[in-house]
Amino acid sequence: HYLDIIGRLQSGDRYIFTREGDRLDNLAFQFYGDPRHWQILAMANNLGKGTLVVEPNLQLRIPPNDIVIEMLERFRDAEEGR
């Protein structure tokens, strides 16, 4: 399950405080090079559905890049298993 991967704390986790105007897709691009990975940030921080805009001064956990790779591999494996 994807939450099993994202939910566990990693030694490579980074933490930031958001600023006015920050968006999950822009932060995903900044940290992972791809704005489509905004869902990883949302899941890692228990942010529900809604807008990509995040409140300022919110502490966000940024999982390491290897989490993105593991998620993409699991997604690909699930797609191939259909």
Side-chain angles (χ1 to χ4, degrees):
H1 193 270
Y2 299 124
L3 287 177
D4 295 336
I5 298 169
I6 293 176
R8 62 181 190 248
L9 296 176
Q10 304 288 318
S11 62
D13 284 347
R14 289 188 272 182
Y15 293 87
I16 65 163
F17 284 95
T18 57
R19 296 177 295 188
E20 185 72 37
D22 275 347
R23 295 171 43 101
L24 292 178
D25 54 344
N26 292 337
L27 292 169
F29 180 77
Q30 178 183 343
F31 290 100
Y32 303 127
D34 191 330
R36 295 175 294 177
H37 298 323
W38 67 267
Q39 294 172 329
I40 291 172
L41 296 177
M43 285 188 276
N45 291 282
N46 297 317
L47 300 175
K49 293 181 180 181
T51 180
L52 295 173
V53 176
V54 291
E55 296 292 322
N57 299 316
L58 176 68
Q59 184 179 15
L60 285 185
R61 179 169 71 98
I62 311 294
N65 287 338
D66 58 337
I67 291 295
V68 175
I69 293 167
E70 188 174 349
M71 289 282 295
L72 292 174
E73 288 173 353
R74 284 215 184 175
F75 181 74
R76 185 186 66 237
D77 291 346
E79 288 291 312
E80 290 173 357
R82 285 187 174 174

